[in-house]
Amino acid sequence: MDKGRILLSVTGFNPQRWQELLSADREVVLKPDSATDPSITYAVVWKQPPNILARLPNLRAIFSIGAGVDHLFNDPGLPDVPIVRVVADNLTRHMTEYVVWRVLDHHRQGALYRAQQQNRLWQEPPQRPAEDISVGIMGLGELGRAAATALLSLGFKVNGWGRTDRPMEGVSTFHGEQGLVPFLNATDILVVLLPHTPATEGIVNYDLLCHLRRRNGLDGAVLINAGRGKLQKDADILRALDDGTLKEASLDVFEVEPLPGSSPMWSHPKVFLTPHAAASSDPEHLAPPMLQQMDAFERGEKLQYVVNRAAGY
């Protein structure tokens, strides 16, 4: 089978390193020769221009550079070929590091100590044991399960919630609409790792946050969102922080990105924010598995991590 060419179509960053690594095995182009270029057999994309994939007659599969695929479903010309999510040990480790970092920072009262340092205060508050804190993870996929395993090893109680039941040893799991409120009621630190779909858009709103457990060893509920910005309502999070529904929040994603300079999130004393950097897509680790999948597919093997179009992830 002719390998054909890879179309690398990305916006928001320099594609040079991706192009270099993918070119190790195949010819890579940054745009097709024409709207119906027959030489393109695979597309590697991130927020590609609308309709650029629509009429490529020999396109066999689309690979998303990022963990999310909602950018693909926003393309009105998305063709009916398999879409492959990126899953790599490096990406999973980065996300696990971020989740553990933020959980520990809230648990060990990082905000309080930073304020004390600014005010030159030498005070030691009571130190809480991890087993007194329940971390609830919304989204028990590859990333969520890895984070749950790491948190369990540190002694935290871990709850998990998803659209369908996905049991995990050591984790109290809940699922579906009927399981959401009981999950939240048992959670002190909420970690959001859901995909963005029509069903999950805006799910992290004021009503949801009101169900989190506030009478706990943290003296309040905490939100950590490292999933997708469209999962949350920024204004609702600010309202929850201001009225005490939330004690603190760590946010890596936002409704509008980059976060506008006018957003009160930047200076809010209860918010720790990062610029959608929890788990950056590293071409050194992600490009080789893509090439391996292409080779395996051409040998007649099935593609791995194919997106369920009906579910949206």
Side-chain angles (χ1 to χ4, degrees):
M1 181 183 291
D2 179 21
K3 285 188 173 183
R5 299 196 294 176
I6 296 174
L7 171 64
L8 176 63
S9 182
V10 299
T11 59
F13 60 89
N14 189 331
Q16 180 178 352
R17 188 56 181 151
W18 281 95
Q19 187 174 19
E20 291 172 354
L21 291 166
L22 291 170
S23 296
D25 189 52
R26 296 165 185 264
E27 184 181 354
V28 179
V29 296
L30 299 181
K31 60 181 181 180
D33 292 341
S34 67
T36 57
D37 187 344
S39 70
I40 304 296
T41 53
Y42 298 101
V44 175
V45 303
W46 179 253
K47 297 182 179 179
Q48 74 283 356
N51 298 306
I52 196 171
L53 308 176
R55 298 169 58 197
L56 300 174
N58 294 319
L59 187 65
R60 298 171 189 155
I62 302 167
F63 292 78
S64 175
I65 279 177
V69 294
D70 44 306
H71 65 100
L72 275 161
F73 289 110
N74 291 332
D75 185 346
L78 184 66
D80 187 17
V81 299
I83 299 170
V84 180
R85 294 181 295 111
V86 62
V87 175
D89 290 344
N90 176 264
L91 193 68
T92 302
R93 283 196 300 272
H94 283 174
M95 183 61 78
T96 300
E97 289 169 1
Y98 176 87
V99 171
V100 171
W101 170 41
R102 299 317 310 146
V103 167
L104 285 175
D105 187 66
H106 292 294
H107 168 56
R108 294 298 299 265
Q109 305 183 77
L112 174 63
Y113 284 120
R114 285 187 287 273
Q116 288 188 177
Q117 181 177 345
Q118 286 186 337
N119 294 303
R120 293 174 168 79
L121 293 177
W122 187 272
Q123 296 176 357
E124 183 180 357
Q127 187 169 308
R128 304 161 296 221
E131 56 264 28
D132 286 353
I133 308 302
S134 290
V135 182
I137 300 176
M138 292 185 78
L140 280 181
E142 297 279 344
L143 300 178
R145 295 172 94 80
T149 298
L151 291 168
L152 286 170
S153 72
L154 293 170
F156 290 98
K157 294 178 182 176
V158 181
N159 306 319
W161 180 86
R163 185 177 61 89
T164 58
D165 189 19
R166 295 197 65 186
M168 180 176 176
E169 186 176 355
V171 176
S172 298
T173 55
F174 304 77
H175 69 279
E177 186 176 349
Q178 74 281 4
L180 183 55
V181 170
F183 161 77
L184 296 167
N185 290 166
T187 291
D188 304 316
I189 300 176
L190 177 63
V191 177
V192 183
L193 294 175
L194 292 168
H196 172 222
T197 70
T200 61
E201 183 161 335
I203 192 172
V204 183
N205 54 35
Y206 186 78
D207 181 63
L208 178 139
L209 297 172
C210 284
H211 290 295
L212 290 170
R213 189 162 63 186
R214 280 176 273 176
R215 297 182 63 184
N216 56 35
L218 296 172
D219 298 320
V222 173
L223 168 67
I224 300 170
N225 187 4
R228 313 297 293 171
K230 295 295 185 182
L231 299 173
Q232 70 187 35
K233 296 290 185 182
D234 289 4
D236 285 15
I237 293 173
L238 288 166
R239 176 187 172 190
L241 289 165
D242 290 340
D243 70 11
T245 298
L246 280 178
K247 178 189 177 185
E248 296 168 354
S250 285
L251 303 173
D252 185 57
V253 292
F254 302 89
E255 283 186 86
V256 176
E257 295 181 4
L259 184 66
S262 59
S263 171
M265 292 285 191
W266 286 107
S267 57
H268 200 290
K270 297 180 180 179
V271 174
F272 182 94
L273 65 83
T274 45
H276 203 144
S280 300
S281 297
D282 180 0
E284 305 287 340
H285 291 85
L286 302 185
M290 290 180 181
L291 293 172
Q292 291 165 12
Q293 280 241 61
M294 294 173 195
D295 289 343
F297 187 50
E298 289 165 4
R299 292 195 301 267
E301 300 175 26
K302 290 184 177 180
L303 291 167
Q304 295 180 304
Y305 315 121
V306 174
V307 169
N308 181 328
R309 286 182 180 245
Y313 58 91

